[in-house]
């Protein structure tokens, strides 16, 4: 008989009611830095207070998970893995093999003390998959990336998809675009579950003008880009578009989280070179993204390669701000094919400038799209829905095992 099991206020359908003890989950992450995937994990673990997280390094993620009631186990020796670029060749990982073997042993021990392993990143999955199998524990891979040729080399894609086919009980992806890429890389379609990222936003009740005054932001037409600084996030395209729109200013929020310092420096040089440096405000990494979003006239999401999801899109939708995004990866799914925002082709500053000019020429014409976006984000992309779906999945996988 299928029944409902309640875990910290979440009702979980599909489990054998009353027959299944609360499983012990081992969450695994390779990085301590908070990008979108780690923010998702921070929210996803909420129903699982008392569980354990095995982290390869200390940092902001460990602190956030502790705050959610998760017990933290740190790898005894740092792996240096987070410094390894995700598109690096296998050869560059070779010198670290000794450390990685030690880590695999630690992971096997931690997995044996759990009922299910939940790997929140590729590196976490690559290292936990075989140890989990060896000690007979099912593993769920939350794949936050888009496994396509723009982001990964062929060998990496094939190895990851094959390993998933061999070891993963489930592969969770945040969008149809990410699911399609996984399948195209050779992953089994039957393994994949799409669970869109979900989040809640606390909105400020003050007017955009009041917020701008408080934040020290200029009056007049103002847009914002909210992403870590990385070549594929495409901030340079916005700066180029700005050169075509002399009255427009832009705040660039975010920093180079994973070593893309040269790109970050290049953005400033580009703004100088194009003569727009006085109209581009680099605000660095901020903890008040929702407030900043509410203060601008539009949010631009300019990724030049496909996005697996893009939490910032949903944040902008919830903030009730018009969104202009590149049509790459999951953006079209999230923005309802363009009904909830404007889609422009990637790497096209001219098209972005035209879309921005149209928006500022007649902002009222955009209002219905912004309302639709907010409703869509509230109904489809809330934190509770994501937690429920992930908890269902964890219970289903452990019950099967
Ligand atoms: N973010 C932040 N401060 C910043 C820049 C970004 O808190 O200065 C947050 C942003 O609000 C979003 C997340 O970082 O929640 C980025 O997630 P997204 O899925 O958009 O991109 P990712 O970094 O995972 O590729």
């Amino acid at each position: 008989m299928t029944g409902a099991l309640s875990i910290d206020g979440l009702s979980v359908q599909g489990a054998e009611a009353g027959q299944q003890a609360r499983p012990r989950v081992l969450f695994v992450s390779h990085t301590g830095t908070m990008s979108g995937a780690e923010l998702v994990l921070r929210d996803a673990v909420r129903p699982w207070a008392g569980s354990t997280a095995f982290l390869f390094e200390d940092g902001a993620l460990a602190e956030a998970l502790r705050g959610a009631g998760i017990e933290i186990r740190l790898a005894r020796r740092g792996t240096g893995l987070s410094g390894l670029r995700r598109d690096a060749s296998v050869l560059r990982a070779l010198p670290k093999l000794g450390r990685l073997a030690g880590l695999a042993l630690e992971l096997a021990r931690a997995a044996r003390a759990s009922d299910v392993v939940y790997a929140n990143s590729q590196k976490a999955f690559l290292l936990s998959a075989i140890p989990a199998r060896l000690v007979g524990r099912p593993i769920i891979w939350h794949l936050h990336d888009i496994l396509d040729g723009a982001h990964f080399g062929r060998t990496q894609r094939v190895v990851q998809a094959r390993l998933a086919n061999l070891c993963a009980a489930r592969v969770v992806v945040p969008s149809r675009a990410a699911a399609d890429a996984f399948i195209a890389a050779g992953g089994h379609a039957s393994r994949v579950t799409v669970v869109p990222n979900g989040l809640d936003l606390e909105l400020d009740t003050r007017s955009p003008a009041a917020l701008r005054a408080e934040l020290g932001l200029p009056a007049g037409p103002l847009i914002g880009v909210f992403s870590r600084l990385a070549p594929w996030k495409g901030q340079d395209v916005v700066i180029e578009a700005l050169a075509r729109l002399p009255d427009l200013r832009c705040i660039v929020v975010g920093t180079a989280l994973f070593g893309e310092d040269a790109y970050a420096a290049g953005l400033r040089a580009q703004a100088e070179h194009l003569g727009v440096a006085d109209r581009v405000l680099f605000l660095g990494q901020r903890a008040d993204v929702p407030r900043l979003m509410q203060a601008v006239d539009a949010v631009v999401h300019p990724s030049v390669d496909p996005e697996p999801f893009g939490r910032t899109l949903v944040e902008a939708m919830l903030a009730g701000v018009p969104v202009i995004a590149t049509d790459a990866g999951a953006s079209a799914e999230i923005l309802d094919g363009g009904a909830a925002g404007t889609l422009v082709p990637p790497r096209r500053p001219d098209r972005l400038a035209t879309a921005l000019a149209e928006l500022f020429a007649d902002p009222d014409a955009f209002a219905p799209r912004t309302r639709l976006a907010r409703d869509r984000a509230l109904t489809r992309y809330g934190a509770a829905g994501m937690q429920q779906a992930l908890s269902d999945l964890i219970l289903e996988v452990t019950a099967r095992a």
Side-chain angles (χ1 to χ4, degrees), residues 32-207:
T33 304
M34 296 296 262
S35 72
E38 293 70 39
L39 291 167
V40 169
L41 182 64
R42 176 201 65 189
D43 295 341
V45 301
R46 293 248 163 234
W48 296 94
S51 290
T52 306
F54 185 101
L55 305 181
F56 297 3
E57 62 184 25
D58 209 347
L61 178 62
E63 207 176 302
L65 295 182
R66 275 192 201 102
I70 301 295
E71 187 196 321
I72 303 297
R73 281 186 66 166
L74 288 174
R76 266 206 290 276
R77 285 195 302 156
T79 59
L81 262 185
S82 54
L84 199 65
R85 286 170 53 86
R86 62 185 190 164
D87 56 355
S89 76
V90 177
L91 285 178
R92 298 194 57 183
L94 282 181
K96 301 184 193 295
L97 274 186
R99 278 206 219 169
L100 296 183
L103 184 70
L105 269 178
E106 280 189 69
L107 276 163
R109 270 189 228 113
R112 201 168 41 204
S114 312
D115 298 306
V116 57
V117 177
Y118 185 105
N120 196 57
S121 64
Q122 286 179 24
K123 290 170 185 167
F125 176 68
L126 282 171
L127 280 165
S128 325
I130 293 179
R133 270 289 285 252
L134 287 177
V135 297
R137 298 296 183 271
I139 180 163
I140 297 168
W141 180 17
H142 200 151
L143 168 56
H144 292 279
D145 296 299
I146 194 153
L147 216 53
D148 68 357
H151 296 278
F152 300 97
R154 191 176 144 63
T155 314
Q156 254 192 328
R157 280 179 278 152
V158 171
V159 167
Q160 291 179 42
R162 293 241 171 104
L163 193 65
N165 292 344
L166 204 66
C167 299
R170 286 264 120 216
V171 177
V172 181
V173 289
S175 62
R176 195 59 247 167
D180 291 344
F182 172 74
I183 295 161
H188 288 160
S190 59
R191 293 286 156 89
V192 189
T193 306
V194 178
V195 178
N197 291 341
L199 55 101
D200 299 330
L201 216 62
E202 235 174 80
L203 292 183
D204 205 303
T205 49
R206 283 168 293 176
S207 69

Side-chain angles (χ1 to χ4, degrees), residues 34-37 39 197 199 226-228 232-233 253-255 257-258 284-290 293 301 307-313 315:
M34 296 296 262
S35 72
L39 291 167
N197 291 341
L199 55 101
F226 299 83
S227 280
R228 56 196 165 85
W232 77 273
K233 290 292 188 179
V253 178
T255 190
L257 287 183
F258 301 111
Q285 186 70 13
R286 300 282 297 228
D288 56 349
V289 164
M293 280 186 173
H301 194 74
E307 269 285 352
F309 189 79
R311 280 171 52 98
T312 44
L313 283 174
E315 288 162 351

